[in-house]
Amino acid sequence: MNRRWSCWMGLWVGVALSCGVAAQGAKPLRIGLIGPFTGPSADFGLPMLNGAKLAVDEINAAGGYLGRPLELVIKDDTANADVGLQQSQEVLKEGVVGTIGFCNTGVAMKSLETFQTAKAPLIVPCATGTPITAKYPAPESYIFRTSARDGIQAPFVVDDIVSRGWTKVAIFADKTPYGEGGMNDVVRALAAKNLQPVFVARFDLGVKDLQTELKAAQAAGANVVFSYTVGPENAVIAKGRQALKWAVPQVGAWPLSFPFFIDGAKEAAEGALMAQTFIAEPSNERRISFLTAYARKFNTKKITVPMAAAQAYDTVYLLTYAILSIRDGNLSGPSVKAALETMPRVYYGVTATHEHPFSKDDKDAITSNMLVMGMVKNGLVTFAYPEDRTRNLFVQRKR
């Protein structure tokens, strides 16, 4: 293990921590982890789980929380909102100091009230629907997030496509809360540039054919397709364009980096563009360390959804940094919330350099300057622009 990671606690906390295994027999400090570890969203739920596990192992090797090992209380929501609600209620019975959870916006939205009512901090590392951190007034909210909300992803992508001259936008969005919110974010981002979509298609999850809608978008003069869905429907759109021999680009938020799209669409996915917080290339020491440790621990050369793994990894560290700043031993929900809002030390993470990631008035850790444009090339996601690869040598800070 990289010594910088294994000794991180003793370097900044200023307490007597040895860089070794957490004390034998010490009572574990429990952290909830909820996500889709089976079912249709497991392709990004499992990397989220693995990223969290990797961080916990590293922190425990460094001494845990004042000698107490961290322990994940893992709950599978199967990407089902009702199951997610039940698992949220269950995890709060397990004595957790905080919960990391949710990949699906609809699943998250149904469970937010459970955490807010219980005054139990929830940090969302994957789900990106803008309403997640907007449901409650920020000063009172116990809902934090370390993924890039669609409210910044959509404008970021719109800025890029407009700069390329692609201003006749067709939006294809599913009918889930994720698709609904993403579509609204794209429409707002276009309106800010005095543009409006030339065509909008809505569809149910599981749709196998969107030829009628694609032909209508083509007839409307669209020169780019902006898709908002998390599953194989993205591939349905790409393969439909290919079948029509309609050579317009497909752009979107981070689900265009998922296996459902890249493996499902195959050559039709080539050239697709999407917003990313993390691209699995060894662009600096932190990312090299993370990618090497992940590959070793999980015996794999490829992370199915690298962003999910990296964001969950950083989230575990951020929560641990927060609770280590609590000097009076009070690990109640309100105390942990306050600690997250006032973190005194910088966390040098994989996706970003987190200096004051949260505040009383801001529960989103990611800002648009932390994003880069990814592009599908030869079945992998790489940097769309050489300058982003260069800029990515330096991990960005919040603005």
Side-chain angles (χ1 to χ4, degrees):
M1 183 186 302
N2 186 304
R3 181 172 176 80
R4 188 180 73 82
W5 294 113
S6 64
C7 296
W8 69 276
M9 291 187 188
L11 287 173
W12 74 264
V13 178
V15 295
L17 282 177
S18 63
C19 291
V21 179
Q24 294 294 321
K27 183 180 178 182
L29 188 75
R30 313 192 86 193
I31 296 172
L33 185 71
I34 303 176
F37 309 131
T38 60
S41 294
D43 60 341
F44 61 122
L46 289 174
M48 183 188 90
L49 172 62
N50 289 344
K53 285 181 174 179
L54 178 60
V56 166
D57 283 356
E58 291 178 356
I59 292 167
N60 284 342
Y65 170 72
L66 306 182
R68 295 171 61 184
L70 303 187
E71 177 182 274
L72 292 174
V73 180
I74 299 168
K75 302 290 184 180
D76 183 4
D77 65 34
T78 73
N80 180 290
D82 292 326
V83 175
L85 177 59
Q86 180 183 5
Q87 298 290 39
S88 298
Q89 294 164 344
E90 290 297 321
V91 80
L92 292 181
K93 298 176 183 177
E94 300 276 357
V96 298
V97 296
T99 300
I100 297 166
F102 302 113
C103 286
N104 305 90
T105 295
V107 180
M109 291 300 294
K110 190 156 188 176
S111 292
L112 297 185
E113 187 176 356
T114 298
F115 294 94
Q116 185 70 16
T117 301
K119 295 185 177 180
L122 168 71
I123 310 178
V124 180
C126 284
T128 59
T130 300
I132 288 173
T133 45
K135 183 171 181 177
Y136 303 106
E140 290 80 42
S141 180
Y142 281 77
I143 314 303
F144 299 79
R145 175 161 45 193
T146 52
S147 58
R149 69 187 185 277
D150 293 314
I152 63 171
Q153 286 194 63
F156 181 77
V157 177
V158 166
D159 284 347
D160 184 75
I161 62 177
V162 170
S163 73
R164 295 170 182 258
W166 303 337
T167 57
K168 296 179 180 179
V169 182
I171 302 174
F172 279 65
D174 67 38
K175 295 179 181 177
T176 67
Y178 172 73
E180 177 78 18
M183 179 193 70
N184 291 335
D185 285 325
V186 175
V187 170
R188 279 191 289 267
L190 289 170
K193 295 184 175 297
N194 296 315
L195 297 171
Q196 58 184 1
V198 299
F199 181 80
V200 175
R202 303 300 307 280
F203 52 86
D204 294 316
L205 292 182
V207 66
K208 304 298 183 185
D209 185 356
L210 288 166
Q211 287 286 300
T212 300
E213 291 84 354
L214 286 164
K215 287 177 181 177
Q218 185 179 29
N223 60 7
V224 62
V225 172
F226 203 130
S227 58
Y228 246 103
T229 186
V230 297
E233 297 79 18
N234 271 322
V236 171
I237 295 166
K239 291 167 77 174
R241 288 188 299 103
Q242 184 183 54
L244 289 174
K245 295 183 171 55
W246 186 29
V248 296
Q250 185 170 344
V251 304
W254 73 306
L256 289 183
S257 66
F258 290 12
F260 265 138
F261 175 64
I262 297 174
D263 297 341
K266 295 183 170 58
E267 66 273 10
E270 288 291 301
L273 297 163
M274 79 296 294
Q276 297 278 276
T277 61
F278 174 76
I279 290 177
E281 295 183 12
S283 52
N284 59 47
E285 180 187 355
R286 299 183 213 172
R287 294 185 174 117
I288 292 170
S289 177
F290 169 74
L291 291 169
T292 301
Y294 190 102
R296 183 185 302 117
K297 179 173 175 61
F298 300 107
N299 191 29
T300 182
K301 294 181 179 179
K302 182 180 179 181
I303 308 174
T304 54
V305 180
M307 276 178 60
Q311 288 169 179
Y313 175 90
D314 281 350
T315 302
V316 172
Y317 269 101
L318 284 172
L319 178 57
T320 307
Y321 265 52
I323 61 176
L324 278 165
S325 71
I326 299 172
R327 298 308 179 96
D328 62 1
N330 177 8
L331 298 182
S332 66
S335 179
V336 173
K337 172 183 180 292
L340 285 165
E341 294 168 347
T342 57
M343 284 177 55
R345 298 283 180 166
V346 177
Y347 165 58
Y348 295 95
V350 176
T351 59
T353 295
H354 287 290
E355 183 177 15
H356 307 301
F358 308 113
S359 70
K360 189 173 183 180
D361 298 313
D362 184 2
K363 299 301 190 287
D364 280 288
I366 303 297
T367 47
S368 60
N369 65 296
M370 299 174 182
L371 299 177
V372 296
M373 286 299 295
M375 179 176 67
V376 178
K377 186 176 182 180
N378 298 323
L380 297 172
V381 176
T382 187
F383 293 96
Y385 297 111
E387 55 266 35
D388 277 346
R389 179 178 281 105
T390 301
R391 186 170 67 91
N392 219 44
L393 293 171
F394 305 95
V395 185
Q396 299 297 304
R397 296 177 184 235
K398 186 173 185 177
R399 290 180 185 170

